[in-house]
Each structure stands twice: as C-alpha cells, then as structure tokens.
Amino acid sequence: MAKKYYITTPIYYPSGNWHIGHCYTTVICDALARFHKMKGEEVFFLTGTDEHGQKVEKEAAKRGITPREFIDPLVAELKDMWRLLGVEYDRFLRTTDPDHVACVQHIYQKLYESGDIYKAEYTGYYCTPCEAFWTETQLKEGKCPDCGREVTLQKEESYFFRLSKYAPRLLRLYEEKPDFLRPRSRVNEMVNNFLKAGLADLSVSRTTVKWGIPLPFDQKHTAYVWIDALSNYVSALGYGTADDSLYRKFYPADLHMVGKEIVRFHAIIWPAILMALGEPLPEHIYGHGWLLIGGEKLSKSKENARPELTDPYALVKRYGADAVRYYLLREIPFGSDGEYTTERFLLRINADLSNDLGNLVSRTQAMIVQNFGVIPPRGKEEGPDGALIAMCEGLFERVDADMGALNAPEALAEIFAVIDRANKYIDETTPWLLAKDPSQRARLGAVLYNLAETVRLCCVMLRPFLPAATEKILKSFGCEDSADLTFGALKEGGPIEKLPPVFPRLDLKKELAEVEKLCAQAKAKADAPSPAAEKESEGPKPPVSFEDFRKLELKVGEVVACEKVKKSEKLLHETVKLGEELRSVVSGIAKYYTPEEMVGKKVVVVTNLKPVKLCGVLSEGMILCAEDGAGNLSLVSPERLVESGATVR
Ligand code: MSP
C-alpha cells in the first residue's frame, strides 16, 4: 500500500488584509504536500478558517451585520489567495461547517462524560486579539504576554478541562520523543516555561460569547475557540461520525505545521485533549519562524504589516505565484525568523529565477532549436559530462533528505546548485564554438542533450515548489508528464520549442517604485471606510476649513464606457474621460442607472481619492450623486454644457 502523508496548516482567522507572512505556512505545506505526492504517497493536505469567537462577533457588530455576513466574503478572499498561489489542499475546513460543529460537540460530550470536563467559576485575564486567557502572574506588566496588548478581567461560570492531570504525561512525551516538536528550541520553551511550572486546568467554555459552538450538555455555554479550532485536525477527517474512514486512513497526522506563537496550543493543549480522548498524537509538530518587517513580526493587528509593501495579491499579479512561492520557500532559513524586504524579494527573482534558471532554459532551447530542431542524440560521455551527470543523479536523494528534515531552502539550494553547474558546463563546453565546426556535430548534440536533460530533471524536482513555471518549461521540452528521475530518460528526437523568458529580468529601481504603487492601492482598499464608519458619518458634520475643502479635487468627466461589475448587483464600472485622461471608476449605482444610460453622461468626479479595488475592479475616483430621503440616487451633472476635465469648485 502507498505510504500516506497527512499535513495540516493552522486554520486562519478570516481577517482580510492578508500580508505575505500569512502565505508562509501554507505555501511551505503545499510544497511539502506536492513533494510527497510526487513520491507516490497518498496525501491529505488540510487548511481552512477559524471563524468563531469574540473578535468576529465584535467586528460584525461594529458593521451592523451578522458574523456570517462578515466572514463569508473574507473566507472567499482567502480561498482565492490560495488559488492564485497554486495551493492545492484536499479540504478547506470552515469551523462553521456542520460536520465540524458536530465533531466539536462530540468531543465535548465525550470529555464531559469521562470527567475530563467539569463546571466551576472562572476568573482570568482575557486577550481578545489572541483569544487567550492568562493568570495574573502570567501577564507582562499587566498586558498580554504574547502580544503586549490590553487584557480584560473576566469572571464567569465556565467548564474546565483537566489539563493539570496531563502534565506528567506531556513531560514524559517530551522526554521519550524529543522530536515530537521541532525545532529543538521550542521543546525547551514548552518544557521549561510551561510544563515544569505545572499546568492549571483550562477554561474551555464561555457564556459571554454567542458566536460559537453551543455545548451539547449546556446550551448556555459556547466552546472555547481554541478547542473548537484545534479540533479541526480530526473533524476534517470525520472523527466521531458514522463515516470515519478518512480518519482511520490518515490520522494521526504526520505533521502539524504552525507559526511559533501558537506552538503552546498545539504542543500542550491539543496533545492533552487527544490523550483525554484516547486518540493517538500527531507524529510531529513544527513551529516555524516569522517573516519580520523592521525586526518585528509582520502582523495585521499590530498594523506594521505595511500593506503598501506586502500585499500578496499585488505581488502575485505582478510577478506570478511562483516568484512569491520561491521567495517564501528559499529565503527564510527554516525554523528561524527572516526579515522581509521588497529588495530581497526582487533580487531573489532576478538572481535565481531569471538569471540561473531562466538563462539555462533559454540558452539550451535556443541552441537546440537553431542547430537540431528536436532533442539531439545523447552521444557519448566525455570531459565535464560526468561531473554534471553525477550531480543530477544524486539530486533526488539530496532533495528528499532535505524535505524529510522540512528544510525547503536547503532542498532548493541543492537544485539550484545543479542549475548553476549546468550554466558552468555551457561555459566549459562552448557549444557556440562546436556549432561552427561540422566535425563536432555529434559532440554538440551530446552537450545539448545533457543540458536539456538537466533542465528536465531539475524541473521535475522543482515542480512542488514552482508548479506553474515548471509546467511551462517541461511542456516546451515535450515532457510535461515526465516524472522519471533517471538521467537519460529524455527522449532523443523529441519536440522542443523556444519559450519567451519565463521570469523576465527585472529593473530593480523601477520595480521598487511599482511595488509601492501597487501595494498602496491595496492599502487604500484596506483603509476604505467600513459601512459602520459610513453610518457614523451620517448626520450633521462639523465645519471644515476652506483649506481642507480645497484638498479635494473635483472635475467634470464624461462617461465613455460602462458595464456591470461581475458578481455584484450594486456596482457599475465606468470609463470616465477627464480631458485627455481616461479613468476607471466603480460606483454603487446599478440600481438607478443601466450601463447604456450612463454612457455619454457628464458627471462630477472626485479625482484625488486614493484608488481602491471594489469586487476586484480598480476604482480611481468617485462619481457624485444626490441621495433622496428614500436612498435613491441621482447623478450630479453640470447645468450647462462644459468640456470634460473642467474643474469643479
Ligand atoms: N486561528 C489561529 C490558528 C488556529 S489552528 C488550530 C491563527 N490564525 S492566524 O490567521 O493568525 O495565523 C495563521 C498562520 O499564519 C499561523 O501559523 C501564523 O503563525 C502564520 N503567520 C501570521 N503572520 C506571520 C508572519 N509574519 N510570518 C510567518 N507566519 C505568520 O493563529
């Protein structure tokens, strides 16, 4: 039977405003999952969203909508981000999925019946952003020891999980199986900072949080979000249901990959719950490091995420998913933190993808197309051939060992060492000179075959990391389905095609400016007023100075084209002419005007609002409308004929 591999990412808070740090865990897991699939293993790769809790409840209330209305578009955004990045999961679990809800209730019921959950009164300090409780002694200067923010004292009736009972077994686990948690430094942290100090029982229910899973034995209480979230690792496979075949097949997980700030939940609380349930523990937990910016964790809630630099959508759109994947997988030393800068990101693309891989591919293709038109015969081995072939032949074992150690940067370094060797091989064998000498035709063929075969092998090995680019390259060598890892498997006489550069070389200065601009548009979107803020802005407004009024730029525009925005009932997308300039503008007026009616209309446009994207469409301005008491909109237009581009003041 094929070996199986079950890998999980933590499930994400549906927060929107994703930054590149959010992509880190999931891209690593995707590369690992693809690598294990490549090895012929049966893989189950789980990711999803963590949707309950006070934070979501509060955010939704602020906007005057239900938690579900708040979450659904954010979940869709996250899924879209994984799609863009080529993340191929086997299940995207939402903690609001009915099977997950039933499983969490099953877990609580079982633990209640076995006496591992009991009722008492809770007094503790709660950190809403971290969804974590702390005792007074755990606080740092009266603030949350994890994130440094304010905590609130809470006192309420609660159910507790007997975590204290499992401390000795957990300590034994770390003595007997030290690689249960990696890297090693995290074990010391868990053992010395938490386990040796003794564990207090854990409050696992709330009466104040309504947006949660009701406990089956006491509907006044909802499940503590961390127990709810952690249970996803078993609920996703049908644990505790009539059909638990996936659970029996894939559980225990080979790997829970998590960021280091949530290791405590995965390495102490979750194993204790599994012990109490009598279920096996995962094989390994890995607590990876963070992407930093200015030495601090990239974090949306600390507002240092600099969306103007780190918006994954903008980066993927401009440089492609593979460039972002490559950066994340290659640049951050695994297990440690790594500073994110746009320069390093761009340099990586240029140095490795454009120069090393891109040049090898285009030089090899150009010379084969020019001299043979098909893959030339392999010929006999001579000169530097042996050294190159030897490097190719041991490559899979080296990459496999690195991926076994979860070290993607090292695995990529191995593959790129071969690419580098092949580029040197070109310099050593000088095929452009061989091409000038008809007596060297067989040698030219052999050299070019060795190069093409090296490209094929490296691309087969790179597939889990760079799925889109390798597919293109392998296809151009006529071997998109190739999985053979032996040197020489490339068919002589096979087709070949010259591709345009897969990773065009970037002008760093220009790109730095471009990234700032693109990501600033993303930031503008993040800064766009929420419906609640808009509501707040209704009613009489305080006076503003003339200076402030003059900060607005208003112009007369002519709508020259208009269409409905797909997936939106409210929005129209207009192209507005402002003098010589054309602008893309999105307006919420589809209920009042048809696209046909809009074309030719003269309108007043606010032209210096920060651009935003609405339903994926860029809006570089706002068309002014008058709104009557019933909320109906009517366009504001100049009363006499005025040229488009005229200033409104
Ligand atoms: N919902 C919890 C996890 C529950 S798992 C049972 C959570 N969600 S999160 O959205 O805040 O984080 C998701 C993942 O993104 C975590 O692994 C976290 O460590 C990771 N990262 C968030 N910011 C990051 C960086 N700046 N760098 C690397 N990873 C980062 O935690």
Side-chain angles (χ1 to χ4, degrees):
M1 200 182 82
K3 251 189 87 190
K4 55 99 195 148
Y5 190 78
Y6 177 30
I7 180 171
T8 74
T9 72
I11 51 175
Y12 285 69
Y13 292 122
S15 59
N17 298 346
W18 313 108
H19 56 69
I20 191 166
H22 282 118
C23 306
Y24 187 58
T25 328
T26 309
V27 165
I28 294 172
C29 288
D30 182 67
L32 262 174
R34 285 174 182 263
F35 185 78
H36 281 272
K37 276 183 196 157
M38 185 173 109
K39 282 174 59 176
E41 294 173 19
E42 243 184 295
V43 178
F44 196 95
F45 170 21
L46 171 69
T47 189
T49 38
D50 181 356
E51 302 183 6
H52 292 120
Q54 210 162 40
K55 208 156 56 174
V56 169
E57 195 171 294
K58 281 191 173 164
E59 287 299 319
K62 254 205 294 192
R63 291 164 172 76
I65 53 179
T66 65
R68 192 81 205 203
E69 283 168 338
F70 171 63
I71 289 167
D72 281 350
L74 297 174
V75 173
E77 233 183 66
L78 183 64
K79 279 187 166 174
D80 200 42
M81 185 160 93
W82 297 150
R83 184 187 59 77
L84 282 176
L85 273 166
V87 170
E88 282 182 354
Y89 46 77
D90 293 283
R91 171 150 185 200
F92 187 100
L93 179 138
R94 300 182 57 171
T95 52
T96 47
D97 286 341
D99 62 337
H100 172 80
V101 171
C103 178
V104 170
Q105 290 179 325
H106 170 79
I107 289 173
Y108 269 84
Q109 185 68 39
K110 204 165 163 191
L111 296 179
Y112 184 60
E113 281 168 17
S114 68
D116 273 308
I117 281 182
Y118 64 93
K119 190 153 129 183
E121 179 167 272
Y122 179 78
T123 312
Y125 294 87
Y126 190 65
C127 173
T128 308
C130 295
E131 313 260 18
F133 289 105
W134 304 99
T135 60
E136 193 159 7
T137 50
Q138 285 172 324
L139 300 181
K140 259 197 205 149
E141 293 165 7
K143 306 250 166 74
C144 171
D146 262 1
C147 72
R149 279 169 290 201
E150 294 295 334
V151 288
T152 48
L153 182 65
Q154 299 201 355
K155 207 173 192 181
E156 62 181 83
E157 174 190 289
S158 175
Y159 286 89
F160 281 75
F161 169 63
R162 290 188 199 281
L163 187 59
S164 57
K165 176 175 147 191
Y166 294 93
R169 269 181 76 183
L170 287 165
L171 268 172
R172 232 179 17 252
L173 165 74
Y174 284 106
E175 274 161 27
E176 286 166 8
K177 198 176 174 226
D179 71 342
F180 172 68
L181 172 62
R182 289 185 279 177
R184 178 78 211 173
S185 56
R186 314 244 188 265
V187 177
N188 300 336
E189 193 191 333
M190 289 304 117
V191 171
N192 299 332
N193 296 2
F194 296 105
L195 290 172
K196 283 199 174 150
L199 296 174
D201 287 353
L202 179 73
S203 162
V204 291
S205 78
R206 321 294 312 145
T207 48
T208 44
V209 180
K210 296 289 165 249
W211 179 239
I213 300 177
L215 301 195
F217 46 84
D218 190 341
Q219 302 273 323
K220 271 203 326 280
H221 288 251
T222 54
Y224 172 39
V225 278
W226 267 100
I227 305 296
D228 170 356
L230 288 160
S231 306
N232 91 99
Y233 300 130
V234 294
S235 71
L237 302 176
Y239 168 72
T241 64
D243 179 8
D244 64 354
S245 52
L246 278 175
Y247 182 73
R248 278 185 280 110
K249 181 167 181 179
F250 285 102
Y251 208 78
D254 295 80
L255 179 66
H256 288 329
M257 176 78 82
V258 301
K260 65 179 180 181
E261 79 281 18
I262 54 174
V263 163
R264 185 172 68 98
F265 296 97
H266 286 81
I268 293 182
I269 297 174
W270 182 232
I273 298 269
L274 288 169
M275 286 171 180
L277 289 170
E279 296 298 324
L281 305 188
E283 283 300 320
H284 299 292
I285 298 168
Y286 195 99
H288 66 67
W290 293 330
L291 258 76
L292 309 177
I293 203 155
E296 264 198 70
K297 183 187 176 217
L298 244 170
S299 159
K300 58 176 190 301
S301 50
K302 283 194 196 156
E303 288 173 3
N304 74 337
R306 308 265 334 257
E308 71 273 25
L309 290 180
T310 61
D311 177 61
Y313 290 96
L315 296 174
V316 169
K317 279 219 174 106
R318 183 146 184 95
Y319 304 105
D322 283 356
V324 175
R325 290 173 67 102
Y326 185 76
Y327 171 83
L328 293 172
L329 293 163
R330 177 73 180 87
E331 182 73 13
I332 316 297
F334 205 55
S336 315
D337 296 340
E339 183 74 21
Y340 175 81
T341 68
T342 314
E343 289 88 335
R344 289 294 314 159
F345 170 67
L346 297 172
L347 279 170
R348 271 287 172 205
I349 305 179
N350 262 359
D352 298 5
L353 300 179
S354 174
N355 272 7
D356 295 351
L357 176 62
N359 275 346
L360 177 64
V361 170
S362 59
R363 284 155 98 192
T364 304
Q365 287 179 337
M367 290 187 287
I368 297 180
V369 167
Q370 196 179 347
N371 293 290
F372 294 90
V374 291
I375 303 291
R378 181 170 176 184
K380 64 178 194 323
E381 211 176 294
E382 57 182 84
D385 300 2
L388 177 67
I389 295 170
M391 257 184 115
C392 287
E393 282 179 335
L395 184 58
F396 175 74
E397 282 68 30
R398 296 195 297 280
V399 171
D400 191 29
D402 291 328
M403 292 302 271
L406 304 177
N407 195 339
E410 201 45 46
L412 282 166
E414 291 286 358
I415 303 172
F416 275 80
V418 176
I419 291 171
D420 199 38
R421 183 69 193 83
N423 276 317
K424 284 207 182 78
Y425 175 84
I426 300 183
D427 300 337
E428 291 164 352
T429 53
T430 58
W432 61 93
L433 294 181
L434 296 175
K436 289 187 183 150
D437 181 352
S439 73
Q440 293 293 327
R441 188 157 173 81
R443 179 62 191 147
L444 174 66
V447 165
L448 295 179
Y449 179 92
N450 289 338
L451 287 169
E453 180 57 334
T454 304
V455 170
R456 182 192 69 84
L457 269 174
C458 287
C459 282
V460 169
M461 227 76 83
L462 279 173
R463 257 193 200 128
F465 308 93
L466 309 176
T470 50
E471 192 186 325
K472 265 195 226 160
I473 299 171
L474 285 167
K475 203 164 169 209
S476 68
F477 281 89
C479 39
E480 60 267 41
D481 300 324
S482 177
D484 199 325
L485 294 166
T486 43
F487 194 95
L490 179 65
K491 254 185 41 218
E492 298 173 356
I496 181 135
E497 171 203 342
K498 171 95 182 76
L499 283 181
V502 181
F503 296 100
R505 210 183 146 66
L506 305 171
D507 171 341
L508 287 194
K509 234 171 135 185
K510 198 178 119 211
E511 291 306 318
L512 275 171
E514 192 60 30
V515 166
E516 290 250 3
K517 195 176 105 198
L518 286 174
C519 293
Q521 289 168 2
K523 178 157 167 44
K525 175 188 156 200
D527 292 345
S530 65
E534 273 175 2
K535 255 205 180 123
E536 271 166 29
S537 72
E538 281 166 12
K541 295 189 174 94
V544 290
S545 67
F546 186 60
E547 280 317 300
D548 277 347
F549 172 71
R550 273 171 48 131
K551 286 180 191 156
L552 281 181
E553 191 185 67
L554 301 165
K555 287 188 177 172
V556 172
E558 182 182 350
V559 179
V560 291
C562 183
E563 60 181 353
K564 286 198 144 181
V565 171
K566 275 185 214 129
K567 289 193 261 171
S568 168
E569 303 208 324
K570 286 193 196 148
L571 300 178
L572 290 184
H573 175 204
E574 301 93 0
T575 305
V576 183
K577 190 167 177 293
L578 296 157
E580 294 302 300
E581 191 194 350
L582 288 180
R583 289 242 187 149
S584 159
V585 177
V586 178
S587 332
I589 49 175
K591 257 170 77 185
Y592 310 99
Y593 294 90
T594 63
E596 295 73 357
E597 276 175 308
M598 287 298 289
V599 175
K601 285 247 170 2
K602 285 267 172 67
V603 290
V604 176
V605 186
V606 185
T607 51
N608 65 337
L609 276 180
K610 284 184 194 165
V612 285
K613 265 201 176 157
L614 297 169
C615 282
V617 184
L618 180 68
S619 185
E620 304 164 293
M622 188 172 95
I623 292 180
L624 294 188
C625 285
E627 186 178 354
D628 70 13
N632 297 314
L633 299 183
S634 164
L635 291 169
V636 174
S637 297
E639 189 233 342
R640 293 196 190 145
L641 194 63
V642 189
E643 284 304 300
S644 77
T647 305
V648 178
R649 58 196 181 93

